Amino acid sequence: MNIFKVGDSQKAICESCQSVENVTFQLRNVPFNDGSGIATNILAGVCNKCNEVILIPQQSAPLINKQLRATRKPIESKVPAHFVDMLNNACAELGAQPDFSNALIKYYVHMLSHEAMPTDELKTYLKSNLAAGKSDKRISLKSSILRDELATLRSKTHIKSTSSVIKAIVLKIHDDIQVHPQPNLINQLKGVVAAVS
Ligand SMILES: [Zn+2]
């Protein structure tokens, strides 16, 4: 991939001018492909004659995608209050702050949906005593791949709702980290904590 710098220039066909023009790379706001909004401060090729953005180099794609993802709605799950406490305590056990909770859930969703962890006992967690309680707290998760991974997990485990899958995962986290501590898993998770803190 050719990496361009701000101020670099080349020739390109400009649709507006209907001619080959000099293009200079500058930081500009550009619309998303799906028209749902605008990505800001993106390196783009601007026609020197008409001042329109006429090309977007490949190097800008990850930043545009990052901004597009930020506009997506999070996945919301309702859980009883003690679920948030179990997550916070699991985080503390890993040496992390409570705000690591979402990363911890996403790690589990990823590992479970890719069969790097067994999924067969997930459903039984939902029958445990700790599964009960009025769902009056919210877990809000944002990720580009989470939606697909949760769909995979729902069909694998035959658990119907996303909230129930999230509840089963929190109960598994509590079990793996606090009730029956899994040393290898805990060490891996401490590595993830170090990477994001
Ligand atoms: Zn032009």
Side-chain angles (χ1 to χ4, degrees), residues 12-21 47 49-50 52 54:
I13 295 166
C14 175
E15 298 278 334
S16 305
C17 300
Q18 295 207 317
S19 53
V20 176
E21 296 298 333
C47 172
K49 192 172 166 192
C50 69
E52 299 261 340
I54 61 170

Side-chain angles (χ1 to χ4, degrees), residues 29-197:
N29 298 341
V30 299
F32 297 132
N33 275 339
D34 63 2
S36 66
I38 283 175
T40 57
N41 265 333
I42 303 299
L43 190 80
V46 178
C47 172
N48 284 8
K49 192 172 166 192
C50 69
N51 206 31
E52 299 261 340
V53 170
I54 61 170
L55 62 90
I56 294 170
Q58 204 192 337
Q59 76 193 59
S60 296
L63 185 55
I64 293 171
N65 287 334
K66 182 185 170 196
Q67 294 190 27
L68 178 62
R69 279 199 304 276
T71 67
R72 296 232 173 98
K73 287 207 176 80
I75 296 167
E76 306 272 5
S77 302
K78 301 268 257 168
V79 297
H82 65 279
F83 277 66
V84 174
D85 296 338
M86 285 191 282
L87 281 169
N88 290 345
N89 281 283
C91 289
E93 194 64 42
L94 298 170
Q97 299 299 315
D99 60 10
F100 184 69
S101 295
N102 283 5
L104 187 55
I105 295 172
K106 287 192 235 176
Y107 179 91
Y108 266 77
V109 171
H110 181 74
M111 297 306 264
L112 288 160
S113 66
H114 288 80
E115 287 170 7
M117 280 181 185
T119 54
D120 35 330
E121 87 268 35
L122 266 190
K123 211 170 182 176
T124 58
Y125 282 116
L126 294 174
K127 294 179 185 129
S128 70
N129 182 41
L130 276 176
K134 188 167 169 276
S135 292
D136 44 16
K137 290 234 178 173
R138 194 183 296 272
I139 291 175
S140 181
L141 298 162
K142 226 171 182 183
S143 146
S144 51
I145 54 171
L146 192 66
R147 219 169 275 278
D148 289 343
E149 290 182 342
L150 279 169
T152 304
L153 211 44
R154 280 199 308 271
S155 73
K156 239 184 242 237
T157 57
H158 308 290
I159 299 174
K160 287 203 181 78
S161 77
T162 295
S163 282
S164 296
V165 174
I166 297 296
K167 278 171 75 174
I169 287 174
V170 176
L171 291 165
K172 179 169 172 52
I173 289 170
H174 177 67
D175 193 28
D176 288 349
I177 294 176
Q178 306 225 267
V179 185
H180 302 103
Q182 308 290 313
N184 289 340
L185 175 65
I186 288 171
N187 277 335
Q188 278 171 29
L189 287 168
K190 282 181 175 170
V192 180
V193 171
V196 299
S197 56

